[in-house]
Amino acid sequence: MLNSSFLDNRLDKIQAKIAAGQRLDFKDGLILYESHDLPGIGRIADFVRRQQHDNDTFFVYNQHINYTNLCINGCKFCAYSRDEKAGDSFTLNINDVNLKVLERMDEPVREFHIVGGLNPALPFNYYIDLIKSIKELRPDATIKAFTAVEIDFIAQTSGLALDETLARLIKAGLSMMPGGGAEIMSSRVREKLFPKKISAQRWLEVMAAAHKAGITSNATMLYGHIETNKERVNHLILLRELQDQTGGFSAFIPLAFHPQNTQLSHLHNTTACDDLKNIAIARLMLDNFDHIKAYWIMIGEKLAQVALSFGADDLDGTIIEEKITHMAGATSAKGMSREEMKRIISAAGFTPVERDSFYNPVTELDEN
Ligand code: V47
Ligand code: SF4
């Protein structure tokens, strides 16, 4: 049990609430963000993390596929997207996607993480064929595809209702949705940085519809640009409220803003303290989320290892080929082997648990 006092004595009350199983409120969230007692915040988050997962740290053998970088939204924080005039825009056809899958057939890929820009030239059947063709090649792998932003766009361009869009994608083999596109749920920031993107309310509506249709999803928050601490806490509370209603969120992933090659390149990279705080505070505020991911691609392998003692219980995955963060200047590797993943988890004092998309443990013997 936690019993020593904190450098920042405001944490005493927060610790007492956690120990009593009480939910933290907006004010508590703000105190946590404003506090410089990082070890204190980490200690409380680690207490909660161990209550939920003991020593286990999860990872998945996954492969990222980005099907297009053409995008009509032009978010200012994005280094990945291109307009149709750009010389280096791309859209994979189904054959290109199949080749990417076939290249890795000798590896135990259990999850495909598939996201892309908003390309108006793609018909509804493109998305169906994309899912079906991967499912045909790898029937046992989970298709985690299309952010809420993409789902809304697919519905709009195909003229189908949201529920019908989801139903058809699910019938084709969609089993889960990634958590991207939430950014910061603030109309102030949206107007300044991503005015064309769907509103926070629509993002939540799409997620609620997906959960109602029977699939789970993740949730994210993009931090480290122009958002305030109040906006961060508000974002976490909005996610928590939807989770109270649907229970459909699986993991929360704080995303550290990378400014290079974006229209916000004058901003600084996030600091290690802010990265760890965002993980720890998510663990404490999101009391109804099972999993908090330290996305090693964004915060680096070394800090992700430390984050395991600050509330994170999942390192995401092996990934193989990451584009979105690397185009914005990430210096982490583009993929990690299963052995390396296990090594860094064990070296941090945790037990590596390879999982499937739904957090069922898998063993290497399950591979065939
Ligand atoms: O949707 C875009 C963000 C997201 C930048 O659900 C940026 O399991 C930082 O959502 N700096 C993609 N972030 C990543 C993502 C994700 C990653 C890992 C696992 C899961 C999951 C989801 O990255 C985008 C956007 O919100 N993003 N540009 C940037 N310059
Ligand atoms: Fe398009 Fe997504 Fe990039 Fe925004 S973040 S410009 S929606 S690819």
Side-chain angles (χ1 to χ4, degrees):
M1 190 53 217
L2 294 158
N3 52 17
S4 56
S5 61
F6 295 98
L7 277 176
D8 179 346
N9 58 21
R10 293 175 302 172
L11 298 188
D12 288 326
K13 194 183 116 212
I14 290 176
Q15 178 197 323
K17 271 186 153 180
I18 295 284
Q22 283 170 20
R23 179 164 267 192
L24 300 187
D25 61 18
F26 185 86
K27 270 194 196 157
D28 297 321
L30 213 50
I31 288 173
L32 287 166
Y33 270 118
E34 283 167 2
S35 173
H36 290 293
D37 189 354
L38 182 62
I41 298 168
R43 196 145 39 98
I44 309 175
D46 186 55
F47 170 76
V48 176
R49 180 240 197 266
R50 285 178 191 281
Q51 272 188 326
Q52 284 175 275
H53 303 292
D54 198 1
N55 226 33
D56 290 348
T57 292
F58 300 94
F59 71 97
V60 61
Y61 206 116
N62 64 349
Q63 180 174 358
H64 279 205
I65 295 182
N66 298 120
Y67 57 92
T68 184
N69 65 353
L70 265 170
C71 188
I72 55 167
N73 266 3
C75 305
K76 286 196 179 148
F77 58 79
C78 180
Y80 167 77
S81 73
R82 296 287 181 273
D83 63 25
E84 69 273 24
K85 286 174 255 141
D88 56 351
S89 65
F90 73 87
T91 299
L92 303 182
N93 62 34
I94 302 300
N95 198 38
D96 298 328
V97 172
N98 286 346
L99 287 175
K100 287 202 176 283
V101 176
L102 288 167
E103 267 170 27
R104 304 277 171 182
M105 284 305 272
D106 57 340
E107 294 179 44
V109 174
R110 294 180 201 278
E111 176 184 280
F112 287 93
H113 174 120
I114 307 166
V115 290
L118 310 184
N119 179 352
L122 295 176
F124 184 67
N125 273 343
Y126 173 86
Y127 302 98
I128 297 286
D129 294 344
L130 180 64
I131 297 174
K132 277 191 177 165
S133 66
I134 299 178
K135 245 346 210 188
E136 234 165 73
L137 291 171
R138 305 275 314 219
D140 296 333
T142 298
I143 308 284
K144 180 181 82 177
F146 313 134
T147 64
V149 177
E150 290 161 274
I151 296 284
D152 172 78
F153 179 74
I154 296 169
Q156 271 194 38
T157 50
S158 63
L160 293 170
L162 175 60
D163 289 349
E164 184 60 22
T165 306
L166 282 164
R168 292 194 195 187
L169 293 168
I170 292 169
K171 190 163 173 243
L174 179 74
S175 300
M176 193 177 180
M177 279 168 57
E183 321 314 355
I184 272 279
M185 298 202 215
S186 144
S187 45
R188 181 192 74 87
V189 180
R190 178 169 174 263
E191 259 167 51
K192 290 196 163 137
L193 302 190
F194 45 94
K196 291 192 184 158
K197 186 161 266 176
I198 57 169
S199 65
Q201 197 194 336
R202 181 63 176 163
W203 189 94
L204 292 166
E205 265 169 31
V206 174
M207 285 308 191
H211 298 168
K212 189 167 149 237
I215 60 171
T216 55
S217 72
N218 292 332
T220 57
M221 176 174 82
L222 180 69
Y223 66 91
H225 42 90
I226 62 162
E227 83 289 359
T228 63
N229 285 337
K230 282 185 180 165
E231 285 162 340
R232 291 175 177 184
V233 179
N234 191 47
H235 183 104
L236 296 177
I237 289 178
L238 286 171
L239 293 177
R240 188 170 77 180
E241 284 171 356
L242 181 59
Q243 180 74 331
D244 276 342
Q245 288 167 34
T246 69
F249 286 121
S250 177
F252 174 74
I253 309 124
L255 299 173
F257 174 55
H258 281 60
Q260 215 176 301
N261 305 321
T262 74
Q263 291 178 59
L264 303 173
S265 57
H266 56 285
L267 296 180
H268 292 290
N269 279 94
T270 60
T271 64
C273 292
D274 208 14
D275 294 336
L276 291 177
K277 246 192 207 178
N278 270 287
I279 287 180
I281 295 171
R283 173 63 77 195
L284 296 175
M285 291 299 293
L286 298 178
D287 54 5
N288 52 6
F289 276 63
D290 287 341
H291 303 285
I292 306 294
K293 280 191 196 182
Y295 186 38
W296 65 268
I297 285 278
M298 285 204 180
I299 60 172
E301 300 85 331
K302 292 189 179 190
L303 194 63
Q305 201 183 18
V306 178
L308 299 179
S309 297
F310 280 76
D313 65 288
D314 190 311
L315 282 189
D316 192 71
T318 51
I319 295 173
I320 299 172
E321 191 193 5
E322 202 280 339
K323 286 204 175 83
I324 297 172
T325 327
H326 283 91
M327 294 189 81
T331 52
S332 52
K334 290 193 172 179
M336 208 192 293
S337 70
R338 173 196 260 158
E339 287 61 42
E340 185 61 2
M341 191 68 87
K342 286 185 181 169
R343 191 180 73 80
I344 66 169
I345 294 170
S346 301
F350 292 89
T351 310
V353 180
E354 187 172 345
R355 62 167 176 89
D356 66 12
S357 301
F358 309 105
Y359 288 86
N360 300 305
V362 293
T363 62
E364 291 172 34
L365 291 176
D366 291 342
E367 263 163 35
N368 295 315

